[in-house]
Amino acid sequence: MTLFLSGCATNLPQSTLYPAGDVADGQKDLFMLIFWIAAIIFIIVEVLLIYIIVRFRQKKGQEDYLPKPTHGNTMLEIGWTILPVLIVIGVTIPTLRGIAETYDPPAEFANTEAITVEVVGAQWWWEYRYLDANGDVDFVTANEMHIPTNTVVKLKLKSVDVIHSFSVPRLAGTRDVIPGRDNRMWFNATEEGIFMGQCKEFCGASHALMRTIVVAESHDNYTQWAANQRLGVANSYEQTAGWNLFQDKGCVGCHTIRGTTSMGDIGPDLTHFGSRYSIASNVLHKGEPSVNFVDFYNDLERDDNLENLKLWLENPPAVKPGSLMPDLGLTDSEITTLAEFLENLQ
């Protein structure tokens, strides 16, 4: 019963039955079409089965009775051959049309405002490169994609290592992210909110921990966010104890902090890390470790509590098995200094 009732939950962050964009809405319509066709077939078959069981059951006094054997029925056989073919055709046509419409926006969106984001999958995090009108990188962020509502978001998908799969169910379906091949998809958000997604293709030890969120916000808020992302951090950060520790521990070799001499490209861009909601590709949120997974995504807000960030810095592979970020052997005081430095990168 518990398992059955879990399917009725309305607060699950990756429910495909509560679309928040046109692509997801179209996919829900396709799902419901196929569901009702299957349901009608199921009901017809079960009714016929029950009728046959009752109508032709063995009655008292007929224990030795054998019904007259028959050999085929041409019209029935033609009927139950043609009908499934017609049903399959009826399902295939909208399915193929629906799949085609997930790659590029249909003509009805030709005059809709659009942005382009290059999505790069890596073990086990997501990089988002926002492109300008010329196709050049405007700014870069990681694990959290911000988009304006009622805007077409064109995604260019690529991988730097193995096959991943990008999916934000309430906005769109799934598209594979394949090394050596650029893939594409699009979506939009018709309402403001924070929508969860994750990798849907097994890609290694921490595949289940390769999560992301899409923050859909008003145009004004998005414009303000994007303007801040284009900026580097103030060079005064290089005068802090946190920056010195960031350098001494070799973090500059893997991470970029624009506005400083840290230009590593192995790990996520940390330029505005302090303004993000979560840590380590959304494995941890900024706040108390006790908040459970679903509650976190249903009531997501930034938190100045550093306990989870300290937990990550203490031993990254323990939080995300197989993580390329090593255990740096930091002391408690070094962890606090580095956490405060990172959180101040707004």
Side-chain angles (χ1 to χ4, degrees):
M1 178 60 72
T2 302
L3 181 62
F4 173 78
L5 291 175
S6 68
C8 301
T10 60
N11 64 338
L12 298 179
Q14 294 197 71
S15 173
T16 59
L17 299 179
Y18 295 91
D22 287 300
V23 176
D25 195 51
Q27 291 171 339
K28 179 189 174 184
D29 290 343
L30 178 60
F31 168 80
M32 296 307 296
L33 170 66
I34 296 173
F35 170 81
W36 285 115
I37 290 175
I40 291 170
I41 293 172
F42 174 80
I43 291 171
I44 292 174
V45 170
E46 292 305 309
V47 168
L48 287 174
L49 180 61
I50 293 171
Y51 169 76
I52 291 170
I53 290 173
V54 174
R55 174 67 178 80
F56 299 102
R57 73 189 186 281
Q58 188 179 68
K59 300 178 179 64
K60 187 176 181 179
Q62 295 180 337
E63 287 80 2
D64 297 326
Y65 170 75
L66 292 176
K68 180 181 178 180
T70 60
H71 180 71
N73 185 306
T74 302
M75 294 306 296
L76 277 177
E77 291 177 3
I78 291 175
W80 62 50
T81 299
I82 293 177
L83 184 59
V85 171
L86 294 176
I87 292 173
V88 170
I89 292 174
V91 169
T92 300
I93 292 174
T95 298
L96 292 177
R97 183 174 64 246
I99 292 174
E101 290 178 350
T102 65
Y103 284 91
D104 299 296
E108 63 189 278
F109 293 95
N111 297 320
T112 303
E113 183 180 354
I115 63 173
T116 302
V117 182
E118 191 172 77
V119 178
V120 182
Q123 292 174 311
W124 287 274
W125 60 285
W126 298 98
E127 181 173 76
Y128 299 124
R129 302 170 182 170
Y130 287 73
L131 307 183
D132 60 22
N134 298 319
D136 298 322
V137 177
D138 190 9
F139 59 88
V140 178
T141 186
N143 299 318
E144 297 180 9
M145 182 191 300
H146 287 238
I147 63 172
T149 55
N150 300 309
T151 299
V152 168
V153 183
K154 301 177 181 179
L155 303 181
K156 297 182 176 181
L157 307 162
K158 58 178 61 181
S159 170
V160 297
D161 39 48
V162 300
I163 297 177
H164 301 284
S165 193
F166 182 80
S167 176
V168 184
R170 292 194 62 198
L171 296 179
T174 300
R175 184 66 28 95
D176 281 348
V177 184
I178 304 170
R181 173 184 172 181
D182 290 353
N183 220 336
R184 68 187 191 278
M185 65 184 293
W186 77 280
F187 57 64
N188 63 355
T190 53
E191 61 184 68
E192 293 185 27
I194 297 177
F195 307 104
M196 181 189 163
Q198 66 184 91
C199 179
K200 293 292 184 68
E201 180 75 31
F202 180 70
C203 57
S206 283
H207 157 67
L209 303 179
M210 188 172 171
R211 303 169 185 157
T212 191
I213 56 174
V214 175
V215 181
E217 52 197 349
S218 68
H219 280 251
D220 289 343
N221 287 345
Y222 170 78
T223 300
Q224 183 179 355
W225 174 85
N228 186 57
Q229 294 298 310
R230 294 185 182 97
L231 302 174
V233 301
N235 57 16
S236 58
Y237 280 106
E238 294 187 335
Q239 313 303 319
T240 65
W243 167 254
N244 292 331
L245 188 59
F246 192 82
Q247 281 188 305
D248 293 344
K249 294 299 180 178
C251 305
V252 294
C254 293
H255 297 283
T256 289
I257 301 178
R258 281 172 281 125
T260 73
T261 56
S262 181
M263 299 296 291
D265 59 0
I266 297 175
D269 186 305
L270 300 178
T271 305
H272 298 285
F273 174 83
S275 65
R276 296 174 190 166
Y277 291 96
S278 59
I279 306 161
S281 190
N282 298 277
V283 174
L284 300 171
H285 66 287
K286 293 179 179 178
E288 293 288 351
S290 60
V291 177
N292 69 55
F293 179 77
V294 173
D295 287 344
F296 166 44
Y297 281 101
N298 285 334
D299 190 24
L300 194 58
E301 59 182 22
R302 293 187 180 90
D303 197 319
D304 59 4
N305 188 302
L306 299 179
E307 292 307 307
N308 272 336
L309 179 53
K310 292 177 182 179
L311 183 66
W312 168 250
L313 294 173
E314 181 180 4
N315 189 355
V319 176
K320 181 178 281 191
S323 171
L324 292 180
M325 183 167 169
D327 179 357
L328 299 175
L330 300 171
T331 65
D332 289 345
S333 62
E334 288 174 332
I335 290 173
T336 299
T337 298
L338 198 53
E340 291 175 349
F341 167 74
L342 293 171
E343 190 59 22
N344 283 327
L345 295 175
Q346 299 287 335

